[in-house]
Amino acid sequence: MNQECSIFLRDVRSFFVVPTAGIIAALFTLVCSIIFVGQVFVPNGIASMQPVFNGATWLLIILCPAITMRLIAEERRVGSWQLTLASPASALSIVKGKFWAAWLILICLLLTTLPLLVVLMFYASVDFGAVLSGYLGLLLFGGAVLSTGLMVSACTNSQTVAYIVTTFFWLTVSLAAKALPQYVPAEYSNWFFYIDPELRVSKFSIGLIDTANIVYFFVIIKAFGWLTMLAVRNTRQGRVPIIGLLSSCVLLLACVVSLNVIALQEPVRWRFDATGSQSYTLSEQTKSLISDIDGPYQITVLLDDTQASRSSVEQIDEVLRRIQQESEWISVNRINPSDPTAISEYESIVQQLRVRYAEEISRCEAEIESSIETFYTLQLFAASMSSVSETLLQATRNQEEQATLQTLTSSLSLLAQEGGLILAEVEKALKVDINAPLPRLDFARDILLTATSRWATELAEVAWWLRANRSAEIAEFCMRESIAFEEMARSLKKTESALLAIGDIEVGLLATQLQSGEGAILISQDKAAMIPARLLFPEKQLETTVAADRRFRGEQIISSAMRKLHSEATPTVIFVHGEQGSLFGIRPNNADLLSARTLLEASRFEVLEWMPHQDAKPEVQGDNVAWIVIPPAARAGLEPTAIELGLIDATRQLFATGANVMVNLQPSLLPKYGQKDPWANLVQQLGVSAETGIVVLEQVATGPHQFDIRRSQTLHHTNGDSLVARALNGRAIFFPLPIEVLGGTTLYEIEASSDRWLDDAWANDSLTFADQEPIEEAVPIVSLVESGTQRAVVVGSGGWLFSWALDRGTQLGGQNVMMANAGNSEFLLSSVEWLSNLDSWIAAGPIGNQIGRITGLSSKAHMYWSIGLVFGIPLDFIACIFVMRKWRYAA
């Protein structure tokens, strides 16, 4: 033991008196600090050291060989190695002393990142369990690299060779484990994943301690330590028994493989969730839900793992494994839809969906085929009647009749010639191929429904016109032909009724969702649902000012989807507005509700539209109803129009009847001219005060001495502890033209900043920050109101739920798009679920609530800390080098 300690202390002392220690520490802290300030330490960033740990994994491959390269090779060069061999210390003692010295240096190296953790603690609540787990992973992996480097150093006289061989070995292992699985049969690919050291360390970095990973690194350390001992012993004896060495290596390899295989077996494998939030342990709500399942249930995650971080894939697999453990009825799987070897598994999922919805598919296809025949008959009718209309046009002398017949002739001719394009689109929607594994029956039905409805109305109007008082020369002929038009209109109306009777086509919705490629498919005994990828994977994040949250929040979203599958509730969402024409279609600049409707229908909501100025109020029953009121985006003048006043009256009636309503507010110029905005008066009935005359503006630097005025805000934090707040915290939500909303329970607020102010001149094109007073207190912009059984949401922004905001993103190449405002979709879903009294549907406890976020970090503080961390810490180590060298030379 004394001999080991002597060697240990000598090597530690020799390492710290040479510049190598300071250079390695400076490089390590420099890179870690850059990763920290770039991916972690940002306003509203996630208080997780995971990006630093992931970067440090690759750094250790480069820096650990620099620690071990001189432990034996340098002694050989300077001639002290012979003295060590001549000492009474055994080969085992020599190896152990040098390894423990190298490991202590590694510990000191990892401790240099503690300032990063301390700074993070100033601004966020840090999950120390996950941090300690990450450091444990780095320590074990670093130990494995050190043991390899020590063995190589014992076999060479050159430090350079020792460094290059060790580094090349671990880079080869890491890269080969990632590249080779796609070139071997799928059944053998797991063996390459098992040897990937980054994959092993990634579990530690997410706070998951797995005994299989501990055994993996421990066995490598022991194995290379033994080889090092053999090398030292053979060097001391002056001979190298090749046969004995090869036999030892074969036996060692067999032991390493056997121990790792045993460690991967579930009976002896133990996993511990080290995160303080226990984010990989299923909640009691989820466990209770799963315990109620009494029949076969399948959960399949479709994810291209080549496009996702390794940590994310590990988190997904861990959550799926825990879900499967809770019930013998549940089977889980993860499929890469872009992997050719996974085609059979994917086809199996599609086949199960076809079986589940065989009756619905058969019924819909029969109605659609019948409608296609009717439409084809309409084409033939249009072709024959266009000539009849042409004859009538030539026969009449009445100019008004001529104009009408000219229009009718053109319309019928166009239908006869180009009606096939409509049927072609229907056939395309019904076509099944690799890109569309299920027929899009709902799309085909909607195309036919629109066409038949339009022509049923138009032909009925033509029949009425033909029977009206026509001129004498064509009256008798028109009366006779009107019968044919009326019969065709009646046939189309019957077809329209049959298409409407189909109702919601669930398999059609699934078909559309499957085309997106990624997501999660849930299949129960009689139903199925698909969760879009943007709800499952928060890593699809755009904001460059926010660190990517790579936690997999699948447990909350999947359990919420399971509740929806088993729920008997039929929730309804009604959008109320005063625009001309439907907002469910594509409108200029995507100022429509098409994306919102698609999202809600995918979440099993019935979506309706009500325009009070032209439609009667929809008759809906039950408690699961949410009304969303959308005010006009712009006015022609200052005064509200009659249509807008009618919309306000309709909303007031909803309040009076106890309906659950979301009111979205737009800024108004009326308060600037001393008038009261009627929308501000309206929400006062809810106990809410809205300052609709002023908007929160922000000055943003765009270049040297150049600034721009931002009229929108992207928020990430929610206020309070309500279900909605917990479900949305941590998600980027975009609010254009935000206005102050006081009263109720604040859900979102804009933090005070020296660059933000309240301005009533928000409509001016030329704005400056000059002479403005920065806001000193947070400005609330979204409030929840609950009075008895009535619920309401008041949003101080009007355009956040339009398609241009919901679908805003960045193209990454190919079909990959990162969503900019992932929180907008979730805010819409959570809000309507809350308004519909479906609290159990809300995905409670998401990632934003499980992990702390950085708060109170101003722009100046961020800049000062970033400079201090990136340059200050490494420069300290460089300074230590010069001090040590000066001290040595002075001594």
Side-chain angles (χ1 to χ4, degrees), residues 782-847:
V782 179
S783 290
L784 305 179
V785 180
E786 192 166 8
S787 177
T789 59
Q790 188 175 22
R791 294 177 172 182
V793 181
V794 181
V795 184
S797 177
W800 66 271
L801 76 173
F802 286 140
S803 296
W804 67 267
L806 253 65
D807 287 346
R808 193 162 64 101
T810 293
Q811 193 74 28
L812 298 180
Q815 296 181 348
N816 296 323
V817 178
M818 286 199 306
M819 304 306 297
N821 314 317
N824 287 45
S825 298
E826 295 194 35
F827 178 43
L828 177 61
L829 281 174
S830 298
S831 297
V832 298
E833 287 167 349
W834 185 72
L835 291 172
S836 302
N837 297 303
L838 296 170
D839 292 0
S840 63
W841 284 28
I842 300 175
I847 299 314

Side-chain angles (χ1 to χ4, degrees), residues 503-780:
D504 295 333
I505 305 176
E506 199 163 306
V507 70
L509 178 60
L510 285 169
T512 302
Q513 292 173 335
L514 277 173
Q515 285 189 305
S516 65
E518 294 185 332
I521 302 175
L522 286 72
I523 303 177
S524 66
Q525 288 178 284
D526 54 354
K527 294 181 180 179
M530 183 168 179
I531 307 169
R534 66 174 179 270
L535 297 181
L536 277 175
F537 311 116
E539 64 188 358
K540 294 182 182 295
Q541 189 70 269
L542 177 70
E543 298 299 322
T544 56
T545 58
V546 179
D549 184 348
R550 297 193 175 275
R551 294 248 180 152
F552 177 61
R553 56 193 307 256
E555 183 213 332
Q556 292 79 28
I557 300 298
I558 289 176
S559 61
S560 180
M562 292 171 69
R563 289 187 186 94
K564 293 176 184 179
L565 277 181
H566 292 281
S567 176
E568 298 298 328
T570 54
T572 304
V573 179
I574 302 102
F575 288 95
V576 188
H577 64 87
E579 301 293 331
Q580 296 295 331
S582 172
L583 288 179
F584 287 166
I586 298 176
R587 294 170 71 94
N589 300 320
N590 290 330
D592 53 58
L593 298 172
L594 184 60
S595 295
R597 177 188 181 184
T598 302
L599 175 67
L600 291 170
E601 288 180 339
S603 302
R604 309 183 74 82
F605 282 86
E606 181 182 359
V607 184
L608 303 177
E609 186 177 27
W610 178 33
M611 292 171 278
H613 61 283
Q614 67 179 44
D615 300 324
K617 179 182 177 182
E619 295 294 332
V620 289
Q621 303 295 330
D623 298 328
N624 309 125
V625 181
W627 303 78
I628 300 180
V629 180
I630 304 172
R635 293 192 181 117
L638 286 177
E639 293 297 328
T641 63
I643 292 178
E644 184 176 355
L645 292 175
L647 179 62
I648 293 172
D649 287 338
T651 307
R652 187 175 288 111
Q653 289 297 319
L654 291 174
F655 291 161
T657 57
N660 296 335
V661 185
M662 171 189 283
V663 181
N664 301 277
L665 300 176
Q666 293 279 15
S668 172
L669 293 174
L670 290 175
K672 185 176 181 180
Y673 296 97
Q675 301 181 51
K676 190 69 175 177
D677 182 14
W679 288 97
N681 288 335
L682 175 68
V683 296
Q684 284 183 345
Q685 292 183 234
L686 301 172
V688 173
S689 173
E691 298 293 336
T692 57
I694 55 178
V695 171
V696 179
L697 303 180
E698 182 176 9
Q699 178 181 244
V700 181
T702 57
H705 306 291
Q706 296 180 354
F707 300 92
D708 193 11
I709 304 301
R710 180 183 292 165
R711 292 174 170 81
S712 62
Q713 291 291 320
T714 299
L715 306 181
H716 303 84
H717 271 305
T718 56
N719 287 54
D721 194 42
S722 66
L723 277 177
V724 179
R726 294 202 303 269
L728 297 173
N729 197 25
R731 308 296 283 143
I733 180 169
F734 174 76
F735 290 112
L737 297 175
I739 59 180
E740 187 175 27
V741 173
L742 300 172
T745 302
T746 300
L747 180 63
Y748 280 104
E749 64 182 15
I750 300 173
E751 295 182 357
S753 169
S754 58
D755 292 324
R756 297 187 182 117
W757 73 97
L758 294 167
D759 203 330
D760 63 354
W762 50 271
N764 295 347
D765 292 333
S766 58
L767 287 172
T768 62
F769 186 53
D771 302 325
Q772 299 293 341
E773 295 185 6
I775 57 176
E776 298 179 353
E777 296 181 357
V779 178

Side-chain angles (χ1 to χ4, degrees), residues 170 172-203 210 212-213 216-217 220 260 264 269 303-311 313-314 317 334 336 339 341:
W170 281 101
T172 302
V173 170
S174 298
L175 297 177
K178 295 174 177 58
L180 292 179
Q182 58 183 318
Y183 298 108
V184 299
E187 57 184 313
Y188 301 114
S189 61
N190 284 337
W191 290 102
F192 291 94
F193 290 124
Y194 289 150
I195 67 172
D196 188 353
E198 187 196 2
L199 181 61
R200 302 282 187 164
V201 177
S202 66
K203 285 198 173 184
D210 191 333
N213 298 327
Y216 171 80
F217 290 118
I220 290 177
N260 275 285
L264 289 170
R269 192 176 186 180
L303 172 66
D304 186 354
D305 49 19
T306 62
Q307 301 296 322
S309 68
R310 186 59 59 84
S311 296
V313 176
E314 285 296 307
D317 291 341
R334 177 171 60 81
N336 182 354
D339 184 1
T341 62

Side-chain angles (χ1 to χ4, degrees), residues 226 230 234 240-251:
W226 188 37
L230 291 179
N234 292 332
V240 181
I242 302 298
I243 297 178
L245 183 61
L246 290 176
S247 301
S248 298
C249 290
V250 172
L251 181 62

